[in-house]
Amino acid sequence: GGLTLNNQEIRNAMAKKPERDFLQKIAQHPLMPKLMGGLSKRMLDQELVLRFWAFYYLDYSNEKFSKFLDHAMEKFKQSDHQKRDQFESIFDQAISRCDHLLGETAFQKKTEKTGVRYKNRSLFEVWMVSLARLDQSVFDKLLRHKADVREAVNQLLQDPDFYESISHSTQNKNRVHTRHAKVDTLIKQFTHA
């Protein structure tokens, strides 16, 4: 009658208390509920934090996605306090940038049939990583064009290839590459003037 653990719950069970506490602390960032909703059930919020760590620090080589996150967790376990403090600052900056630039719908996509908006983990991944890697001066350029950027994002969500990359087989290496390349192109559209 017991509940089968999901992958993140297994990772959590295998981690030591300081590692568990750190992931939980980052997952409780005040902007997480605003931008991603209530994800604490079954540790989905902590998996998103780990997903950001993975895509920010590691190269995704099309291995099974759960193995990629397992590998990221092992790298996280090996990190020291300085690296974790650095990551906490990077996460804070990334999610704050997403909020300032894209607003409450930063990680939302509309379903093709009904038009209902849903929070999307692939959008979280691509926008968090893409904005985290920008120099402040480049991000400031984006902010100066905030309304146009948001319109371009809405257009991007209607691009069939991009929509597919955040909706189906999202762990396929080509889909990962597609969404990151298209967001990178959108950013350059406003910052390479």
Coordinates of all heavy atoms in Angstrom, one line a residue, residues 32-63:
M32 N 9.3 31.4 -6.8 CA 8.9 30.1 -7.4 C 7.4 29.9 -7.4 O 6.8 29.5 -8.4 CB 9.6 29.0 -6.6 CG 11.0 28.8 -7.0 SD 11.2 28.1 -8.7 CE 11.0 26.3 -8.3
P33 N 6.7 30.2 -6.3 CA 5.2 30.0 -6.4 C 4.6 30.9 -7.4 O 3.6 30.6 -8.1 CB 4.7 30.3 -4.9 CG 5.9 30.2 -4.1 CD 7.1 30.6 -5.0
K34 N 5.1 32.2 -7.5 CA 4.5 33.1 -8.4 C 4.7 32.7 -9.9 O 3.8 32.8 -10.7 CB 5.2 34.5 -8.3 CG 4.8 35.6 -9.3 CD 5.5 36.8 -9.0 CE 5.1 37.9 -10.1 NZ 5.9 39.1 -10.0
L35 N 5.9 32.2 -10.2 CA 6.2 31.8 -11.6 C 5.9 30.4 -11.9 O 5.6 30.0 -13.1 CB 7.6 32.1 -11.9 CG 8.0 33.6 -11.8 CD1 9.5 33.8 -12.2 CD2 7.1 34.5 -12.7
M36 N 5.9 29.5 -11.0 CA 5.7 28.0 -11.2 C 4.6 27.4 -10.5 O 4.2 26.3 -10.7 CB 7.0 27.2 -11.0 CG 8.1 27.4 -12.0 SD 7.6 27.0 -13.7 CE 7.4 25.2 -13.6
G37 N 4.0 28.2 -9.6 CA 2.8 27.6 -8.8 C 3.3 26.7 -7.7 O 4.5 26.6 -7.4
G38 N 2.4 26.0 -7.1 CA 2.7 25.1 -6.0 C 3.2 23.8 -6.5 O 2.5 22.9 -6.8
L39 N 4.5 23.7 -6.4 CA 5.2 22.4 -7.0 C 5.8 21.6 -5.9 O 6.5 20.6 -6.2 CB 6.3 22.8 -7.9 CG 5.9 23.4 -9.3 CD1 7.1 23.9 -10.1 CD2 5.2 22.2 -10.1
S40 N 5.6 22.0 -4.6 CA 6.4 21.2 -3.5 C 5.9 19.8 -3.4 O 6.7 19.0 -2.9 CB 6.2 22.0 -2.2 OG 4.8 22.0 -1.9
K41 N 4.7 19.5 -3.9 CA 4.2 18.1 -3.8 C 5.2 17.2 -4.6 O 5.5 17.4 -5.7 CB 2.8 18.0 -4.4 CG 2.2 16.7 -4.2 CD 0.7 16.7 -4.7 CE 0.0 15.4 -4.5 NZ -1.3 15.4 -5.0
R42 N 5.6 16.1 -3.9 CA 6.5 15.1 -4.5 C 7.8 15.7 -5.1 O 8.4 15.2 -6.0 CB 5.8 14.4 -5.6 CG 4.4 13.9 -5.2 CD 4.2 12.4 -5.0 NE 5.2 11.5 -5.0 CZ 5.1 10.3 -5.7 NH1 4.1 10.1 -6.5 NH2 6.1 9.4 -5.6
M43 N 8.2 16.8 -4.5 CA 9.6 17.4 -4.8 C 9.8 17.9 -6.2 O 10.9 18.0 -6.7 CB 10.7 16.4 -4.4 CG 10.6 16.1 -2.9 SD 12.0 15.1 -2.4 CE 11.7 15.0 -0.6
L44 N 8.7 18.2 -6.9 CA 8.9 18.7 -8.3 C 9.7 20.0 -8.3 O 10.4 20.3 -9.2 CB 7.6 18.9 -9.0 CG 6.8 17.6 -9.3 CD1 5.5 17.9 -9.9 CD2 7.7 16.8 -10.3
D45 N 9.5 20.9 -7.3 CA 10.2 22.1 -7.2 C 11.7 21.9 -7.0 O 12.5 22.6 -7.7 CB 9.6 23.0 -6.1 CG 9.6 22.3 -4.7 OD1 9.8 21.1 -4.6 OD2 9.2 23.0 -3.7
Q46 N 12.1 20.9 -6.2 CA 13.5 20.6 -6.0 C 14.1 20.0 -7.3 O 15.2 20.3 -7.6 CB 13.7 19.7 -4.8 CG 13.3 20.4 -3.5 CD 13.5 19.5 -2.3 OE1 14.5 18.8 -2.2 NE2 12.6 19.6 -1.4
E47 N 13.3 19.3 -8.0 CA 13.8 18.7 -9.3 C 14.0 19.9 -10.3 O 15.0 19.8 -11.1 CB 12.8 17.7 -9.9 CG 13.3 17.1 -11.2 CD 12.4 16.0 -11.7 OE1 12.6 14.8 -11.2 OE2 11.6 16.2 -12.6
L48 N 13.2 20.9 -10.3 CA 13.4 22.0 -11.2 C 14.7 22.8 -10.8 O 15.5 23.2 -11.7 CB 12.3 23.0 -11.1 CG 11.1 22.7 -11.9 CD1 10.0 23.8 -11.7 CD2 11.4 22.6 -13.4
V49 N 15.0 22.9 -9.5 CA 16.3 23.5 -9.1 C 17.4 22.6 -9.6 O 18.4 23.2 -10.1 CB 16.3 23.6 -7.5 CG1 17.7 24.1 -7.1 CG2 15.3 24.6 -7.0
L50 N 17.3 21.3 -9.4 CA 18.4 20.4 -9.9 C 18.5 20.5 -11.4 O 19.6 20.5 -12.0 CB 18.1 19.0 -9.5 CG 19.2 18.0 -9.8 CD1 20.5 18.3 -9.2 CD2 18.7 16.6 -9.4
R51 N 17.4 20.6 -12.1 CA 17.4 20.7 -13.6 C 18.1 22.0 -14.0 O 18.9 22.0 -15.0 CB 15.9 20.8 -14.1 CG 15.8 20.8 -15.6 CD 14.3 20.7 -15.9 NE 14.1 20.7 -17.4 CZ 13.1 20.0 -18.0 NH1 12.3 19.3 -17.3 NH2 12.9 20.1 -19.3
F52 N 17.9 23.1 -13.3 CA 18.7 24.3 -13.6 C 20.1 24.1 -13.4 O 21.0 24.5 -14.2 CB 18.1 25.5 -12.8 CG 18.9 26.7 -13.0 CD1 18.9 27.4 -14.2 CD2 19.6 27.3 -11.9 CE1 19.7 28.6 -14.4 CE2 20.3 28.5 -12.1 CZ 20.3 29.1 -13.3
W53 N 20.5 23.5 -12.2 CA 21.9 23.2 -12.0 C 22.5 22.4 -13.1 O 23.6 22.7 -13.6 CB 22.0 22.4 -10.7 CG 23.4 21.9 -10.3 CD1 24.0 20.8 -10.9 CD2 24.3 22.4 -9.4 NE1 25.2 20.5 -10.4 CE2 25.4 21.5 -9.4 CE3 24.3 23.4 -8.5 CZ2 26.6 21.7 -8.6 CZ3 25.4 23.6 -7.7 CH2 26.5 22.8 -7.7
A54 N 21.8 21.4 -13.5 CA 22.3 20.4 -14.6 C 22.5 21.2 -15.9 O 23.6 21.0 -16.5 CB 21.3 19.3 -14.8
F55 N 21.5 21.9 -16.3 CA 21.7 22.6 -17.6 C 22.6 23.8 -17.6 O 23.2 24.2 -18.6 CB 20.3 23.0 -18.2 CG 19.6 21.9 -18.9 CD1 18.7 21.1 -18.2 CD2 19.9 21.5 -20.2 CE1 18.0 20.1 -18.9 CE2 19.3 20.5 -20.8 CZ 18.3 19.8 -20.2
Y56 N 22.8 24.4 -16.4 CA 23.7 25.5 -16.3 C 25.2 25.1 -16.3 O 26.0 25.7 -16.9 CB 23.4 26.3 -15.0 CG 24.2 27.6 -14.9 CD1 23.8 28.7 -15.6 CD2 25.4 27.6 -14.2 CE1 24.6 29.9 -15.5 CE2 26.1 28.8 -14.1 CZ 25.7 29.9 -14.8 OH 26.5 31.1 -14.7
Y57 N 25.4 24.0 -15.6 CA 26.8 23.5 -15.4 C 27.3 22.4 -16.3 O 28.5 22.2 -16.5 CB 27.0 23.1 -13.9 CG 27.1 24.2 -12.9 CD1 26.1 24.3 -12.0 CD2 28.1 25.2 -13.0 CE1 26.1 25.4 -11.0 CE2 28.1 26.2 -12.1 CZ 27.1 26.3 -11.1 OH 27.2 27.3 -10.2
L58 N 26.3 21.6 -16.8 CA 26.7 20.4 -17.5 C 26.2 20.4 -19.0 O 25.3 21.2 -19.3 CB 26.1 19.1 -16.8 CG 26.5 19.0 -15.3 CD1 25.7 17.8 -14.8 CD2 28.0 18.8 -15.1
D59 N 26.8 19.6 -19.8 CA 26.3 19.4 -21.2 C 25.4 18.2 -21.2 O 25.7 17.1 -20.8 CB 27.5 19.2 -22.2 CG 28.3 20.5 -22.4 OD1 27.7 21.6 -22.4 OD2 29.5 20.4 -22.5
Y60 N 24.2 18.4 -21.9 CA 23.3 17.3 -22.0 C 23.6 16.5 -23.2 O 23.6 17.1 -24.3 CB 21.8 17.9 -22.1 CG 20.8 16.8 -22.1 CD1 20.8 15.7 -21.2 CD2 19.8 16.8 -23.1 CE1 19.8 14.7 -21.3 CE2 18.8 15.8 -23.2 CZ 18.8 14.8 -22.2 OH 17.9 13.8 -22.3
S61 N 23.9 15.2 -23.1 CA 24.4 14.4 -24.2 C 23.4 13.4 -24.7 O 23.7 12.4 -25.3 CB 25.7 13.7 -23.8 OG 25.4 12.8 -22.7
N62 N 22.1 13.7 -24.4 CA 21.0 12.8 -24.9 C 20.9 11.5 -24.1 O 20.4 10.5 -24.6 CB 21.1 12.5 -26.4 CG 19.8 12.3 -27.0 OD1 18.8 12.8 -26.6 ND2 19.7 11.6 -28.1
E63 N 21.6 11.4 -23.0 CA 21.4 10.2 -22.1 C 20.0 10.2 -21.6 O 19.3 11.2 -21.7 CB 22.5 10.2 -21.0 CG 22.3 11.4 -20.1 CD 23.5 11.5 -19.1 OE1 23.9 10.4 -18.6 OE2 24.0 12.6 -18.8

